[in-house]
Amino acid sequence: MAADAYARLADTLERLADVVAPNDLAEVLDIEDLSYRTGILRNDVIVLIKGEQVEQRSVTDRVRHRLAFLRTTRRREDGRGYSVQDFATLAGVTRQTMTSWCTTGIPSIEGADQIRRHFGLPAGFMTADEPEALNEALLTELHRLETQNGPLVMPPELRRLALRSPAVAEKTMQLIAAWAMEITSAADTAGDEAQAKEQS
């Protein structure tokens, strides 16, 4: 399962790199925001973006960590941090029960879901492993960047080929785009002619 999550993350990182090229991902992505949205420590986000792996945690460790992370990173309307009692109230349990959840990392499903919903977090926030959680956040970022930048002129594979040499990337891209247009135009013309013959 973890290998699949890392493979999906690698694919998303590659797609993001294509969209932001020639910039570096670390220059474009907001590491602090990714950490805030995923519950992953800032340093682990950096390691994962570099394509490396982080220490794998058990589900209970992830839940315990994410509960503590929420308490330290979120603020109440009055600007103060959330106490154990505040979380207990959100989850509809006693302070003692919440303390137990924070210690054991084993909250009730309903309680964890109420806390997650209060903060507007995705369904798997409490239990997702680090590569899975980061991948979900990066897919949102990828969609935003693709929408902002408009559709790519050419497929990512051709774009990667063109960007291998930054000194000639623009000229190479123009040549490849022209070549691709010539091939697709010839294929379109041939297809139109074949369709006209079938109709007659």
Side-chain angles (χ1 to χ4, degrees):
M1 179 73 171
D4 290 344
Y6 278 105
R8 286 190 299 276
L9 177 60
D11 181 58
T12 301
L13 287 169
E14 186 175 338
R15 289 173 58 200
L16 268 167
D18 289 340
V19 172
V20 303
N23 296 323
D24 185 40
L25 278 177
E27 297 170 5
V28 176
L29 298 175
D30 185 342
I31 304 299
E32 297 298 329
D33 180 60
L34 288 169
S35 174
Y36 185 83
R37 291 186 316 176
T38 60
I40 302 172
L41 296 174
R42 180 184 187 284
N43 290 340
D44 286 351
V45 171
I46 292 169
V47 167
L48 289 165
I49 287 174
K50 289 179 180 178
E52 299 170 12
Q53 294 190 9
V54 294
E55 179 184 344
Q56 187 158 349
R57 295 182 171 150
S58 68
V59 173
T60 55
D61 283 345
R62 288 194 299 264
V63 172
R64 185 173 36 252
H65 165 78
R66 302 265 164 81
L67 285 169
F69 186 87
L70 287 173
R71 286 194 51 230
T72 60
T73 61
R74 300 323 197 250
R75 296 286 173 247
R76 299 182 335 178
E77 288 181 11
D78 63 7
R80 295 187 347 209
Y82 282 87
S83 67
V84 172
Q85 180 60 54
D86 293 330
F87 267 35
T89 302
L90 289 174
V93 297
T94 66
R95 184 180 192 288
Q96 291 79 13
T97 300
M98 180 54 67
T99 300
S100 173
W101 291 357
C102 291
T103 304
T104 64
I106 307 174
S108 74
I109 293 171
E110 294 84 9
D113 192 54
Q114 287 176 330
I115 293 169
R116 172 197 69 80
R117 286 175 187 265
H118 175 78
F119 293 109
L121 298 166
F125 179 84
M126 294 290 186
T127 58
D129 61 13
E130 283 75 4
E132 180 182 8
L134 183 59
N135 188 55
E136 288 301 315
L138 289 176
L139 284 171
T140 302
E141 189 67 13
L142 176 63
H143 178 70
R144 185 189 67 76
L145 288 169
E146 285 176 336
T147 303
Q148 173 185 321
N149 295 340
L152 293 177
V153 177
M154 63 182 74
E157 294 80 11
L158 291 177
R159 188 170 169 80
R160 276 195 297 278
L161 177 66
L163 292 173
R164 284 191 179 162
S165 176
V168 294
E170 188 61 35
K171 182 177 178 182
T172 304
M173 278 174 108
Q174 290 171 356
L175 291 171
I176 290 173
W179 176 70
M181 291 298 289
E182 187 177 317
I183 290 172
T184 57
S185 295
D188 288 346
T189 303
D192 291 344
E193 289 173 4
Q195 188 176 19
K197 283 183 182 179
E198 286 178 9
Q199 291 177 352
S200 45

